[in-house]
């Protein structure tokens, strides 16, 4: 239940004075202070099986008191060399190594570690390493052994550790809470990798996120012949646009034939495991997030194109399986890692009006760690702090998702989106889905996915004949939608498989102000949320089933959580389409394993979306407050 709107923030209570008496707001100043105030140490920490992990620690030079440790375990390389310090003028480095400028000023021991098998650490790396059998090693035991070493060897250490990280390091932070070391007082998994088949990074509901998977593993997945300080990121291809590149690439098997040459181990695993089999289930960490002893702060972005699903799923796993733990959730208006790397005042053409990231770092994140690691008093914890897009305020909740009124919006005739159920008689909308001309996921060009499509204007898609659009009348009052959005549609196809992509869109009136870069937003179809469902998995992710040509079948799934207010004068739109390229790989629309599909397996198909009394297609909105407009009278 919504308790109150956050207006002034969560101010940190008094505690020990900070390491640096004056505020630090400039990265250049932070860079100087870090070198003047901290001494760097290098360790090779032995794990229980003898493997040594390369670790660095930055310890305050003030030894008149002791300090807690904030640690990041990462596969992306720590700054190596005892005399080499990170460059805090780079926002990405601030987020990766030192939490924030406020934390540098406050004073912690900052510990960074190359995980097993990466960069300068020994051992064999495994992606999203599964939980080991008793007596084995995994990311939880490596975190335990590391903390145990730090307790015994760190100078000026007060005996308490906090472990945090963004994305893959967020996964490692969450793993540390499993059978945690007694010195681990707090963990903050931020945009944590969670389940790579159901909803994070590389698959959503079984559909492969093509350009993200290929782009990431083209660099990250390369084998490491020996410990190294360097790592090359990026995909070296001569192309100006991902749509053209991946369309010309053709079937998935061509990735190995033309680019990877079979050398990317995890890509080969993706091709070998096209269903949610034992391989993927072993890499779902959620069942192990039980009986957590440390305080847990799960953080993510409402516009995180990579790990939004995993953020909420991780919070829910800890919250339900560790009932006695202090578990909290923060969701802000951020792209992937934006709370640590950007000011958080805008994303693409959507502005939020204030520096939400600075607020989060200084008044939410830092007080959480100060309380857990330094014993500072703090106000009663807020269970969930979730930004409300549309009104651009943080809202405080007693639980997430909050209690809402499930409200059906039916896809109706003549492109209407109606609260009134459909009448009798066959009714449907149909379109031709052609793998040779898929619907693009964005209007612009480029090889990189910057995540800005999460708020992008969808008018480019509205004008395509293979995108179905449904629209409400203009709202007369605020309508706030909070939580996951249900999709329940009836689909038939002339093929044997089909993707269902559903978008929830905020249609702007024509008198809204221009965007933060000056672009005109009047009449824009601003994306609020979208998700894909691979139709073959409509009943089971373990046992896919083809469509019977011409037979309407029910497809149900959820769009990830939102907390959005549609303002008066705005309209709600729902779009339905069957491709989202090259964000999502092409569905052949024949019932073949995409990993082994040939060019001949990709065939056009005609899809029908049914919307009559016996087969109503709808979205279920979790309405927190406000009323949707009454539908116009039927003719």
């Amino acid at each position: 239940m919504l308790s109150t709107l956050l207006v002034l923030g969560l101010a940190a209570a008094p505690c020990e004075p900070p390491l640096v008496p004056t505020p630090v707001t400039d990265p250049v100043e932070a860079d100087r202070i870090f070198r003047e105030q901290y001494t760097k140490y290098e360790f090779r920490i032995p794990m229980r099986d003898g493997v040594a992990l390369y670790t660095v620690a930055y310890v305050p030079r003030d030894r008149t008191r002791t300090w807690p440790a904030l640690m990041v375990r990462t596969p992306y390389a720590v700054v190596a060399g005892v005399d080499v310090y990170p460059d805090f003028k780079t926002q990405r480095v601030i987020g990766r190594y030192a939490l924030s400028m406020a934390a540098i000023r406050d004073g912690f021991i900052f510990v960074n570690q190359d995980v097993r098998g990466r960069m300068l650490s020994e051992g064999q790396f495994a992606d999203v390493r599964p939980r080991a059998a008793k007596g084995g090693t995994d990311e939880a035991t490596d975190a335990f052994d590391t903390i145990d070493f730090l307790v015994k060897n760190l100078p000026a250490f007060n005996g308490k550790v906090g472990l945090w990280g963004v994305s893959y390091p967020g996964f490692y932070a969450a793993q540390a809470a499993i059978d945690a070391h007694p010195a681990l007082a707090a963990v903050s998994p931020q945009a944590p990798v969670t389940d790579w088949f159901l909803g994070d990074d590389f698959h959503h509901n079984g559909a492969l996120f093509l350009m993200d998977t290929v782009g990431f593993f083209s660099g990250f997945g390369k084998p490491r012949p020996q410990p190294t300080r360097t790592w090359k990121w990026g995909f070296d291809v001569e192309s100006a646009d991902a749509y053209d590149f991946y369309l010309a690439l053709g079937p998935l098997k061509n990735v190995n034939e033309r680019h990877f040459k079979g050398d990317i181990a995890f890509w080969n695993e993706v091709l070998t495991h096209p269903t949610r089999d034992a391989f993927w289930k072993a890499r779902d960490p959620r069942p192990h997030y039980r009986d957590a002893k440390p305080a847990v702060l799960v953080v993510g972005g409402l516009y995180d194109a990579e790990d939004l699903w995993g953020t909420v799923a991780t919070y829910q796993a800890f919250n339900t399986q560790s009932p006695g733990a202090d578990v909290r959730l923060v969701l802000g208006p951020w792209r992937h890692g934006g709370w640590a790397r950007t000011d958080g005042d805008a994303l693409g053409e959507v502005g939020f009006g204030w520096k939400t990231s600075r607020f989060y770092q200084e008044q939410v994140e830092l007080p959480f760690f100060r309380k857990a690691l330094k014993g500072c008093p703090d106000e009663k914890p807020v269970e969930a702090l979730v930004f409300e897009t549309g009104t651009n305020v943080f809202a405080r909740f007693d639980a997430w998702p909050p209690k809402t009124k499930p409200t059906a919006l039916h896809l109706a005739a003549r492109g209407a989106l109606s609260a009134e159920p459909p009448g009798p008689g066959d009714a449907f909308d149909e379109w031709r889905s052609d793998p040779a001309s898929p619907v693009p996921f964005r209007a612009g060009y480029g090889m990189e996915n910057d995540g800005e499509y999460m708020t992008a204007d969808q008018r480019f898609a509205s004008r395509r004949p293979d995108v179905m659009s449904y629209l409400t009348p203009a709202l007369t009052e605020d309508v706030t939608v909070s939580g996951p959005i249900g999709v329940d549609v009836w689909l038939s196809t002339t093929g044997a498989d089909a993707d269902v992509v559903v978008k929830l869109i905020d249609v702007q009136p024509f008198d809204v102000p221009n965007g933060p870069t000056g672009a005109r937003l009047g009449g824009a179809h601003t994306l609020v949320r979208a998700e894909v469902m691979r139709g073959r998995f409509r009943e089971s992710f373990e046992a896919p089933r083809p469509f019977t040509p011409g037979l309407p079948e029910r497809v149900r799934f959820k769009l990830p959580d939102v907390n959005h207010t549609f303002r008066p004068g705005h309209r709600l739109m729902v779009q339905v389409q069957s491709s989202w390229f090259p964000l999502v790989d092409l569905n052949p629309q024949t019932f073949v394993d995409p990993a082994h599909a040939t060019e001949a397996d990709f065939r056009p198909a005609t899809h029908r979306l049914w919307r009559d009394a016996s087969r109503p297609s709808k979205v279920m909105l979790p309405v927190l407050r406000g009323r949707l407009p009454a539908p116009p009278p039927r003719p």
Side-chain angles (χ1 to χ4, degrees):
M1 179 180 294
L2 181 66
S3 53
T4 136
L5 290 180
L6 187 66
V7 178
L8 297 178
L10 305 175
C15 192
E16 284 187 332
L19 175 66
V20 180
T22 56
V24 180
T25 59
D26 178 61
V28 175
E29 179 71 1
D31 189 72
R32 180 187 63 80
I33 288 173
F34 200 72
R35 285 163 171 76
E36 290 180 355
Q37 298 290 340
Y38 290 84
T39 299
K40 186 176 183 181
Y41 296 84
E42 289 184 305
F43 305 99
R44 293 194 176 272
I45 300 180
M47 301 294 101
R48 62 191 63 185
D49 62 350
V51 169
L53 304 189
Y54 178 75
T55 309
V56 299
Y58 304 90
V59 182
R61 291 193 172 115
D62 180 354
R63 304 300 168 87
T64 63
R65 48 180 160 153
T66 57
W67 307 91
L70 279 172
M71 180 164 64
V72 174
R73 304 189 65 241
T74 178
Y76 299 132
V78 306
V79 175
V82 72
D83 296 320
V84 183
Y85 283 65
D87 180 4
F88 291 102
K89 294 185 291 295
T90 305
Q91 283 283 340
R92 185 179 176 93
V93 174
I94 289 176
R96 182 175 293 169
Y97 294 106
L99 203 67
S100 67
M101 289 182 283
I104 295 171
R105 178 203 176 200
D106 204 73
F108 293 86
I109 298 171
F110 296 104
V111 179
N112 308 125
Q113 182 180 75
D114 289 332
V115 297
R116 179 181 291 254
R118 294 295 294 180
M119 311 315 293
L120 292 177
S121 285
E122 298 174 359
Q124 185 67 37
F125 178 75
D127 275 294
V128 196
R129 189 186 304 275
R131 183 77 166 130
K134 187 175 181 180
T137 59
D138 54 30
E139 303 306 340
T141 66
D142 283 358
F144 187 103
D145 293 348
T146 299
I147 294 170
D148 199 60
F149 178 92
L150 297 176
V151 168
K152 299 170 184 175
N153 293 278
L154 267 183
F157 179 41
N158 79 349
K160 291 187 177 182
V161 177
L163 216 154
W164 76 287
V166 177
S167 194
Y168 224 146
F171 163 79
Y172 296 117
Q175 293 286 294
I178 301 172
D179 299 329
H181 192 284
L184 184 62
V187 296
S188 183
Q190 302 184 5
V193 167
T194 306
D195 188 312
W196 274 349
F197 194 84
L198 292 182
D200 276 339
D201 290 300
F202 307 128
H203 292 88
H204 288 210
N205 294 318
L208 178 67
F209 267 45
L210 176 64
M211 66 182 294
D212 290 349
T213 309
V214 172
F216 180 79
F217 282 106
S218 65
F220 184 86
K222 291 178 180 178
R224 182 193 69 165
Q226 58 188 7
T228 179
R229 290 173 181 255
T230 60
W231 172 57
K232 185 178 181 181
W233 184 275
F235 190 23
D236 292 330
V237 293
E238 294 183 1
S239 179
D241 182 56
Y243 187 96
D244 293 340
F245 171 79
Y246 286 102
L247 198 60
L249 179 65
L252 294 182
K253 64 185 183 65
N254 291 345
V255 174
N256 261 334
E257 293 177 6
R258 301 181 188 178
H259 298 285
F260 288 178
K261 310 302 181 185
D263 291 337
I264 308 297
F266 197 82
W267 175 254
N268 297 332
E269 297 284 10
V270 168
L271 300 184
T272 305
H273 300 280
T275 65
R276 193 169 186 264
D277 57 12
F279 174 85
W280 294 113
K281 290 177 182 178
R283 284 158 177 77
D284 180 358
R286 291 174 295 166
H288 307 294
Y289 295 157
R290 56 181 181 267
D291 302 323
K293 299 301 187 292
V296 180
L297 177 67
V298 185
V299 181
L302 289 164
Y303 299 121
D304 187 340
E306 299 175 44
D307 296 304
L308 169 58
W309 182 92
T311 297
V312 177
T314 297
Y315 158 75
Q316 292 172 340
F318 275 114
N319 204 39
T320 57
Q321 298 172 159
S322 302
D326 176 8
V327 180
R328 315 183 203 178
L329 173 70
V330 177
L331 293 173
W334 305 306
R335 71 178 73 201
H336 188 64
W339 53 95
R341 300 168 185 166
T342 71
D343 286 338
D345 55 353
L347 180 62
E349 289 302 330
V350 174
F352 309 117
W354 56 299
K355 297 182 186 300
T356 62
S357 297
R358 184 66 59 82
F359 160 78
Y360 157 74
Q361 292 169 3
E362 296 178 358
Q363 300 192 44
V364 181
E365 182 179 62
L366 182 58
F368 168 78
F369 282 119
R370 294 177 88 241
K371 178 183 179 182
L373 305 181
K374 296 186 175 184
C376 303
D378 192 7
E379 71 168 40
K380 183 179 179 181
V382 176
E383 168 112 354
L385 187 67
V386 183
F387 196 79
E388 186 177 293
T389 53
T391 55
N392 296 335
V393 297
F394 272 103
R396 299 169 69 176
F397 295 87
D398 298 328
W400 186 265
K403 293 181 179 179
T404 56
K405 180 181 179 181
T407 303
L409 278 179
H410 295 86
L411 312 184
R414 294 178 295 278
L417 190 58
S418 174
E420 184 176 301
D426 289 350
F428 57 83
D429 295 311
E430 72 175 22
W431 65 97
R432 185 176 186 267
S433 175
D434 187 353
S437 180
V439 180
F441 81 102
R442 62 185 176 193
Y445 304 94
M447 282 299 295
E448 299 294 329
N449 177 9
D450 59 11
E452 291 189 358
Y453 78 89
M454 296 282 284
T455 62
D457 189 343
Q458 300 299 301
R459 280 180 288 192
F460 75 94
S462 305
R463 295 162 181 161
R464 286 184 59 113
D466 49 0
V467 176
M468 304 295 103
S469 298
Y470 304 88
L471 190 63
T472 68
L475 302 181
T476 58
E477 60 181 277
D478 282 349
V479 175
T480 302
V481 179
S482 304
I485 297 160
V487 173
D488 186 352
V489 298
W490 287 83
L491 188 80
S492 65
T493 177
T494 58
D497 195 12
D499 283 354
V500 179
V501 178
V502 175
K503 305 173 186 173
L504 178 66
I505 293 166
D506 188 338
V507 178
Q508 313 285 322
F510 287 98
D511 59 351
V512 298
N514 292 344
T517 62
R520 291 186 56 83
L521 295 183
H525 297 175
T526 303
L527 187 63
V528 173
R529 188 63 78 239
E531 189 56 286
V532 60
M533 179 72 188
R534 182 132 293 172
R536 63 178 61 196
F537 296 118
R538 63 196 178 279
E539 296 174 351
S540 168
F541 290 108
E542 294 81 14
R545 188 174 67 81
F547 284 83
T548 299
L551 178 67
E553 297 208 42
R554 198 174 189 181
V555 180
R556 288 177 285 186
F557 61 103
K558 292 185 182 298
L559 310 188
D561 296 46
V562 301
N563 191 38
H564 182 76
T565 294
F566 296 86
R567 307 309 306 272
H570 293 227
R571 295 184 290 173
L572 282 74
M573 175 183 282
V574 169
Q575 287 184 348
V576 181
Q577 58 199 57
S578 50
S579 52
W580 205 19
F581 190 74
L583 189 68
V584 175
D585 71 317
L586 289 175
N587 191 321
Q589 304 183 145
T590 56
F591 194 68
V592 297
D593 177 1
H596 300 102
T598 66
E599 285 82 354
D601 292 317
F602 290 81
R603 302 174 189 171
T606 298
H607 304 323
R608 284 184 175 181
L609 182 76
W610 295 81
R611 46 173 179 75
D612 53 39
S614 62
R615 294 159 297 200
S617 291
K618 59 184 179 290
V619 295
M620 296 297 299
L621 298 183
V623 176
L624 183 69
R625 57 178 182 265
R627 292 181 301 173
L628 293 164
R634 287 184 175 174

